[in-house]
Each structure stands twice: as C-alpha cells, then as structure tokens.
Amino acid sequence: MSAAAAEAAVMPEVATSSVIETGPVRRQRVRVPMRLVMSPYYQDVALSVYVKVKALAARPEGCQAKSVTIASYLGLSPASVERGMTQLRRPDPDGVVELFSERRTLPSGRGRSALRTVRPMSRTEAFVWVPVAAAEDLTSRQLRAYALIAYAQARGIALTQAELAAGLRHHSGKKAGEPLSVTAASAVVDEVEAARWVTVQRRAGTQGRNRYIAHDMAPEARPDGVGEGAGGVLEAAVEKEAQGAGCSQVGEGSGSPVGEGSLANEESPRTDSPDDARALVSPAIGDVPVGDAGPVENPADAAAPAEGCGGLALRAGGNNHPAPSKLERRSRGRGSARPSYNGPQLAMSSHIYAVLEPVHLLLERVHNDFIVRKIAREVGRQLRGGTAAERLHHRLTTRFAKVMLADIRDPGRWLLGVALPRWGCGHHDCEAGVLWTTGRKCEVCTEIVQEKYTARQRTQRIAQGLCPAHGTRPGPAGRCADCELDDAIRTPARVPVQHKLEGPPRGCCSDCGARIFMTGRALADGLCKPCREESSVMAVFTSAARAAPAQQETCSGRDGDARCDREALPTRSVCARHRVQELAGSA
C-alpha cells in the first residue's frame, strides 16, 4: 500500500477535500470496501447506492432519504435503487450484510422513510476512497471502473486493460456473471475519461501500458490545468507515489503535494456543502432538512432563497435539483435532444372519471400525464377485477374525508398510494376490516389486530420488567404468582403409587374395620380375633336368654288353692292378671 493509502487507512470513513475559492465544491469521499467492488455477487448499481447511502448516513440525522430521492441523486430509476438496496441488505456468499434498514412508524400509525446505515468496516479491511460526486456523475458501471482504477493507483499497481475488464461483469442476459471484453472495458474507461474523472496516458507506462490517473475531486472543483491536459505533473506525482516516495506533508491531509489529493485539515461529518447557494427546496417529502426549510407544496412557484442561506443540500455538491437521467446526459453529449411528445392529449373514460368524482379536486392538481394515466389504469384494473364502482367511490370519499387538504403535498402519490389501494386481509370482500356486502367486522382482520396488540403489549411489558403474560411484577425466582398458579392448574398433582406389600393378603374386619391378615378363620367369618371372641360370648348369652322363657311357659301364681294355668309374660314368671295384682298390692 502506498503512503497516501496507508495514511488514509486511519482516517474516518467519510472525509472532505479542500475548498476552492471560486465557489461551492463537491468534495465528499466515502470509504468503500474492496469486497463490494471486486465481488461478482454485487451488481454495479449496488456500488452507487452504497456510496450515496453512506454519504447521507454521515449526517447528524442519518440517512432518512427515500429510495425515490436517492434515485434522483444518482440519476437512476427507483426500481434500480431498490434492487441495489435489496442486494446490500441480503447476506453475500460470505454471510456479510453491507446495509441495514430500520423501518419507522409515527405514533399515529403513519409510516416514515426508513433509517439506513452501513456496516462498520474493520481497520484491516481493504478499501478504496470514492468521491460521492463520482457516483452522481458516472453510471454504475463507470463508477466500478473508477473504483478499480483508484485502488490500483493507491496500491501502485500498473493496471492493464485485461485486468480492468476482469473486474467488470455482465449482470443480465446470457453472459450474466462473465467479465466484459477488453473492447467493452476500454469503452467504459473512455466514458469515464470523457467525464473528467480519470486521465488516461496512452502507452505511458511500462511495456507500453496505459497509465490511469483517478481524480478524487469533482472536475469543476479542480484548478485550471489539472485534468486532461495536466499529464506531465500528474505523471510525475503518480510515479513518485508508486515508488513509495510520495507522501503528504505534515498537517496537509492525505493528498499528494501537487494539489490532486484530499488536503483536508479538518474533517466534517456532514456530506453536504454548507455554503451552497443553489439549494432551493427539500428534494423529498418527509426528509428531515439539514437546516431551515421552507414550504415545499409548490416548488415551482416558490422563490429561490437568498444567497448563502444553505443547509438544504442533500447532494454531494449541494445541488437539490434531481440529477438528469442517463438518456439526457447522452443526448447532451451527442448534441441532439429527443423531441418532446406532441401527440393527442390524454383522454379519460367517463366511467372512470365518475368513479373519481370525490377526488376531482386532487386530480386537477396532478399536472403529470403519466401519473394521471397510472391513476386511470389503477381504477380500471380494480373495476375489471370485480370491485364495484360504488365501493371504489365510497373508498375514495371516506379516505379523502379523513385527511386535511394541506397535508397532501403530492396529490398523485397520495391517490396511488393511499386513496386507491384496498386495505384489509386476503378476503376480497374485506374493506379496511369491514365486509362490504354485510357491513360486519372481518374476523380475520380482528384476529390480526388482536395479535398485533398482544405482541405490542408483550414487548412493552418486557421492556418494563413485568411478566409478559399477566403484567405483574415477577418474584425472586423470576416468575409471578399467576404463572405458578397457571402451571399448577395445567399440571395436576402426581398421585403416589401404592406399593404392594409382601406376605399374606390383607383385609379389613367386617365388624371393627381393623386391618387383618386374611388367613385361617378370618377367611370364613371375616373378623379379627377380638371381634370373634366377643361374638362367641354374645352368642352364649343370647342362647341362654332364649332358653329361659322356654322353662316358664305358664304362670307361677295361684288362683286360690289351684295353680294358675295361664301363659306367663315374656319377662315375668306370672301372667298379666297376677302381675296387675302384684302392682296393686305394692301400691
């Protein structure tokens, strides 16, 4: 690694260069891992998106720009930016994730743009400094070629066209994954040279190789004479750096002595020019402005701010105007622009126009025919899909009544993203949680809402240190009393297993209930020994009592001189007449 690259390794991941006195300078640079540049897994658009997101993430509020805004900065389509972000968010074959996206929602439930951050790089990881302005001026493939040239320049490697072509690959078609041909790679380098980000010295290197010199500052920020015509000075600087003798002087940053490097004495975490006088309005609705922002409802009618009132610059050069598309840049290069459309005006079906009757006020404020056509196509698609015109009319009326007109900054986007889409579950009859045909609440949506509420309540209880299930304070063991009670109810008490005793069989006495061995006489009468003895004694007394009245069957009294022959009472030895006489005599 050269002295300049070694010194750059201890610098922050986002750095700034010197400021030319002529005006604002696009001077931001970000540190890009070489694994992102060299890996065939990542497409070219992923590199452009990484550079811009990392530059915006260096702001105090972080990268809060939407994908549409980032696409306008890079001159790409939103779909391409989304594809690059998706690839950066997924683990590569090595399991490394380069981009992290945190979705945010306001307390009212309205979504906000995601907060994006990049993976922190290690100090021993190979990297290359890439200017943010290069990502805005160059196409994605040109930016990868620039990064390869800048890395070879920092390491002192004599890069050949074949080696450069091996680092550029096809990402679609039959040749997907294969490197570009040398002819195609040379054409890409010529385009980068035409954009003044690289100077190519033909046959100036060893063995007749081309010498590539990558510039780390925007073309408009370089002093006169540094560029395509400054071959001698730049060649001497590169040769000196390749030999290990080129290093920055004390206190002058990591740039080369000829003024081509980044001569930053103070590093700023911002990626925007604070003195941008060309900034007009915030480029995206919902983005947090860096400074004081004005109204953005009617950017065409708003007056430009006064000179020096910057703070709104979200682009690397402080320019808030959307970057021109690739077709516009190519048209400018050829000198002939594509003629504008002058055909018939847009016509809308009367049926579709009647359905859009509740939002005619917003439809009149949409001045883009493409957006109007998309709105009409969306309405027609839903009508063909089985949605009744009355249902769609009611949906537009209800949603337009729930929002303030002043809060709708982009009528076209609001109609396509808020008013027209159907909200609800997979049931076609569900309309925002209510069945359209019956007017009853949708059970599926109710369950989904309940599950989300339960999950949110559980998360809040865990954050507060309470029991997730009951919301009570847990005990010393880490569980609350309700959880222990639920466990006791769900898990019944274990019944002890009765062990079978050894020896003769046991039973209970049929009289007193005592436990006895069922052996001998107990098998016949089922009594214990005391009860058996008592039973035998009682049997003797019972038999004696029964035998006594049998001996005195007649009365023992006398009627005069003769014996009474009447039957005696059961408990007496006399009959009833003589018993009465006995009682009368005693009285």
Side-chain angles (χ1 to χ4, degrees), residues 25 32 127 139 405 494 519:
V25 178
V32 180
F127 66 91
T139 63
L405 185 61
R494 297 181 58 186
T519 58

Side-chain angles (χ1 to χ4, degrees), residues 11-17 27-30 129 262 264 267-268:
M11 296 178 63
E13 296 187 3
V14 178
T16 58
S17 300
R27 60 184 182 275
Q28 298 81 15
R29 296 191 307 164
V30 297
W129 287 101
S262 58
E267 298 169 355
S268 173

